[in-house]
Amino acid sequence: MLMQLTLSGASQGAIYALVALSLTVVYRSTTVVNFGHGDLVMSGAFVAYVLVVGLGLAFLPAAVIAVVAMFGLGVCFSRALIRPIRGGPHIGFALMSIALGYTLRGIARTVWGREVLPMPRVFDIDPIFLGDVVLTGDALFTIATVAVLLALFFALLAFTDVGKMVQAVYQSERGARLVGINVSRFHDLSWGTGAALGAVGGILIAPVSFLHPDLGASFLIKGFAAMTLGGFGSLGGAVLGGVVLGLAEQYAGAYIDTALIDITAYLLIILVLLVRPRGLFGRKAVVKV
Amino acid sequence: MSISPATLRLRTALFWALPVLACALPLATNPYTQFVLNSMLISTLLTLGFNMVIGSLGQLAFANVAFFGLGAYASVIAMNALGLPWLATIPLSGLVGAAGGFLASAVALRGIRLYYLAIVTLAFGELLRWLYIHADGLTGGTDGLALPRETFLGFRLGDDTAQFYVFLAVTVVLVKGTLNLLRSRLGRSIIAVRENEIATASLGIPTARVIVTAFMWSGFLVGVAGALFAAHIGRVFPESFGLTQLIVGFAMVLVGGTGSVLGSVLGAVLLTALPEYVRAFPGMEEIFFGLVVIVVLLCLPQGLASLLRRLSPVFLERHFRE
């Protein structure tokens, strides 16, 4: 029982971790919290769905195309809509990202109405039984994909020049500009990366759950909850927070009450706020006057 | 920029002429337009409340949607459980909203600001919605709660025309109240906190009290809007208070003009009327609101009120630095 819950919690948590990580990538590099992120996740899943069901592509090429498309969308959004209001107040960014998400949701609804779409099963391998634990293909694939992606991502940050550049911009934007890093382009690419990573999360969830245009809102809140728990702006913290949230949902649902699954994320946000507002790995914000 | 006495008189005349003229509107409407007119008045209160925190105080509080729902549920539950007449529940809902605002300001005063405040209040709002669904003994769950039928001074409560006059009176009083608040010392302090909180505090202005006031007044307005909304629809559902309300409210604030009372009214009226034309297609409304916000942010960040201000000093609001 416990093992089974841990497995399903981990595969949910892996997806939350991706969503939280992609939110953090955008936040750390551009200081914009993307309130439309859930809808980007939803859009990625929808693009993959259309390619698979509408055009009859195989799952993997469809997924790759969807991720690339979402990367492009993220870059375009950053260039066309965020850059012009860069100098303005923070509320402008929030509104802009909400507006983007809302528009995407509207487009999805125009095309699909309010129906709920089942994605064809991808990993129709027979479940593996280990003692009394059932390993489904979906769960294994999700956990493996996210693990590989995260390993690549953090390796990129730790061992390459790209990672050095990212660190430089995180440390000081002005300093990074002075040593010749094109910070504006870096912002665009961060948006693209965030959108693409989020899309991967959406594509992974698609075969397991039903797709509908309002999918985004819950992903957004789960991503926020994971970020809050891990500490706002901490990349590793976002991943850990996501996994913890996934596990917490399953345990709370099984051992306390199934209705709790829906609100674990909200309770977690409020709890972290009351106990330790900066989360597990967040740094205390210092206000300079 | 100083305003001549003649301009001031004209402005006062305009302010009072509008509601007086509006009193004649029900003579020329059919039930549908009457319904939309009533929606406009509710949206005006909502937008005023949103604008208080987003525009005047410059904080991102998403909880206002939650207070809207709280106000609506408080109104219906008070009618059902306590047998209060609907009119009496209006101030009650306002107080419930204000209490919510107080709570949100307590969070803001813990140093949780901007995005973080937005996330926390978002979670709080969704938590409430979950409660509406699951506390079905009190709230009727997903089916919602119907209002009891009552008559007041010979009007049936569900009569849109009768409701219109009540809504109009409430809205005019609260718009005037908001204007007065923003012109008072306290209201100026709200703007000052938005511009620079530390500088404001160093002038000896009690910034905490200012923040609490802004949040509570915002909550009060939104709570009252909730009570009106309950009567307007005749039934309260958890779905009515989801995140959709949020973007609608934001769009109204933005299109009208952040921090502007006149803007709140303009934005609410316009954005209640326009979507009626696209309602026939699923998804069109979302696209409409999304694109409106994007275009206004890019082209007219100060909203429609700023256009009017450029046209004539009559529309110059005194809490604006021009």
Side-chain angles (χ1 to χ4, degrees):
Chain A
M1 177 70 176
L2 182 66
M3 272 307 293
Q4 190 65 60
L5 288 173
T6 307
L7 188 75
S8 49
S11 82
Q12 278 289 326
I15 288 166
Y16 299 157
L18 263 190
V19 175
L21 179 71
S22 50
L23 270 165
T24 308
V25 165
V26 174
Y27 173 70
R28 267 296 283 276
S29 45
T30 64
T31 68
V32 177
V33 172
N34 177 12
F35 285 97
H37 199 73
D39 300 295
L40 285 174
V41 173
M42 180 273 298
S43 306
F46 262 107
V47 173
Y49 174 85
V50 171
L51 293 173
V52 170
V53 176
L55 302 178
L57 284 178
F59 178 78
L60 275 181
V64 171
I65 294 172
V67 170
V68 171
M70 293 314 288
F71 182 88
L73 182 72
V75 172
C76 291
F77 176 68
S78 169
R79 277 207 73 119
L81 301 180
I82 292 286
R83 203 182 285 188
I85 58 169
R86 204 71 226 152
H90 262 278
I91 288 184
F93 300 141
L95 288 175
M96 193 58 107
S97 60
I98 291 174
L100 165 81
Y102 214 65
T103 310
L104 289 174
R105 199 180 312 175
I107 292 169
R109 188 162 291 159
T110 311
V111 179
W112 286 277
R114 284 191 177 275
E115 59 191 293
V116 179
L117 309 166
M119 182 103 167
R121 302 286 304 194
V122 182
F123 309 99
D124 239 349
I125 56 170
D126 289 332
I128 307 159
F129 291 94
L130 291 176
D132 55 356
V133 180
V134 188
L135 295 172
T136 57
D138 294 316
L140 285 178
F141 179 76
T142 303
I143 293 171
T145 312
V146 173
V148 169
L149 254 180
L150 291 181
L152 277 175
F153 181 83
F154 284 104
L156 190 84
L157 282 185
F159 303 118
T160 62
D161 283 353
V162 175
K164 281 208 182 70
M165 183 180 96
V166 173
Q167 281 302 334
V169 180
Y170 284 176
Q171 300 278 337
S172 155
E173 229 173 69
R174 189 184 291 175
R177 263 205 187 88
L178 284 172
V179 295
I181 294 171
N182 184 341
V183 175
S184 296
R185 187 186 307 153
F186 176 78
H187 284 319
D188 297 345
L189 292 177
S190 296
W191 271 96
T193 311
L197 277 175
V200 173
I203 291 163
L204 286 174
I205 202 89
V208 195
S209 72
F210 291 111
L211 288 183
H212 55 94
D214 296 327
L215 203 65
S218 75
F219 274 116
L220 183 70
I221 303 232
K222 307 238 155 128
F224 281 159
M227 268 175 103
T228 309
L229 180 65
F232 233 69
S234 152
L235 294 167
V239 173
L240 192 78
V243 176
V244 171
L245 174 64
L247 293 172
E249 275 186 352
Q250 293 296 327
Y251 295 152
Y255 293 118
I256 306 170
D257 188 354
T258 35
L260 278 176
I261 292 187
D262 297 334
I263 53 163
T264 308
Y266 315 141
L267 292 175
L268 201 67
I269 290 177
I270 292 165
L271 191 76
V272 170
L273 170 96
L274 291 174
V275 179
R276 189 181 156 92
R278 61 191 154 125
L280 296 173
F281 301 105
R283 276 164 303 201
K284 232 180 154 53
V286 180
V287 182
K288 290 201 181 94
V289 182
Chain B
M1 137 167 211
S2 64
I3 301 175
S4 69
T7 313
L8 269 180
R9 271 198 300 276
L10 181 60
R11 173 193 299 174
T12 316
L14 259 180
F15 180 91
W16 292 109
L18 277 173
V20 170
L21 286 174
C23 284
L25 275 175
L27 300 174
T29 55
N30 58 31
Y32 166 69
T33 35
Q34 188 61 60
F35 186 84
V36 175
L37 280 177
N38 291 2
S39 301
M40 280 178 189
L41 291 171
I42 293 171
S43 300
T44 302
L45 288 181
L46 258 186
T47 312
L48 265 186
F50 264 47
N51 219 338
M52 193 82 218
V53 173
I54 297 170
S56 306
L57 187 67
Q59 283 297 327
L60 268 175
F62 289 6
N64 301 42
V65 177
F67 306 151
F68 183 49
L70 271 180
Y73 271 99
S75 166
V76 182
I77 290 171
M79 270 187 279
N80 283 336
L82 311 176
L84 286 175
W86 173 68
L87 276 180
T89 67
I90 298 177
L92 182 86
S93 295
L95 290 176
V96 169
F102 180 76
L103 206 78
S105 67
V107 173
L109 289 175
R110 278 201 68 185
I112 288 151
R113 294 295 168 84
L114 268 179
Y115 291 140
Y116 209 40
L117 183 68
I119 288 166
V120 171
T121 48
L122 200 67
F124 175 71
E126 290 296 287
L127 200 61
L128 273 179
R129 219 155 53 99
W130 181 86
L131 277 178
Y132 299 148
I133 294 171
H134 288 268
D136 36 37
L138 189 63
T139 61
T142 39
D143 298 339
L145 276 181
L147 267 79
R149 304 178 82 94
E150 64 165 19
T151 52
F152 175 74
L153 302 180
F155 296 119
R156 206 165 54 72
L157 181 70
D159 176 16
D160 280 339
T161 313
Q163 276 182 14
F164 175 76
Y165 289 110
V166 178
F167 288 8
L168 186 68
V170 170
T171 308
V172 169
V173 168
L174 290 179
V175 167
K176 190 67 191 151
T178 306
L179 277 172
N180 290 349
L181 172 70
L182 282 169
R183 282 171 197 167
S184 71
R185 167 189 277 221
L186 196 59
R188 302 296 204 163
S189 311
I190 295 173
I191 313 280
V193 168
R194 174 187 70 196
E195 296 296 330
N196 190 332
E197 195 177 337
I198 293 162
T200 309
S202 66
L203 292 173
I205 293 169
T207 48
R209 195 183 307 165
V210 170
I211 290 170
V212 172
T213 308
F215 269 98
M216 282 182 76
W217 181 248
S218 166
F220 181 81
L221 291 169
V222 174
V224 168
L228 303 190
F229 182 77
H232 178 59
I233 303 292
R235 204 179 176 86
V236 282
F237 299 101
E239 273 78 64
S240 313
F241 311 110
L243 298 177
T244 308
Q245 276 296 344
L246 202 67
I247 178 106
V248 172
F250 274 163
M252 285 173 183
V253 167
L254 197 73
V255 169
T258 37
S260 153
V261 174
L262 172 71
S264 299
V265 180
L266 279 178
V269 168
L270 262 179
L271 287 192
T272 310
L274 288 175
E276 291 297 321
Y277 297 105
V278 295
R279 196 151 292 205
F281 312 98
M284 272 308 177
E285 216 178 328
E286 284 91 341
I287 297 178
F288 170 81
F289 276 110
L291 291 182
V292 161
V293 170
I294 290 172
V295 169
V296 171
L297 271 171
L298 290 178
C299 310
L300 191 67
Q302 286 297 315
L304 288 171
S306 67
L307 276 184
L308 284 180
R309 277 201 292 278
R310 252 178 265 168
L311 281 176
S312 155
V314 171
F315 299 109
L316 187 68
E317 290 168 83
R318 277 184 281 177
H319 50 273
F320 263 93
R321 295 175 312 172
E322 299 260 344

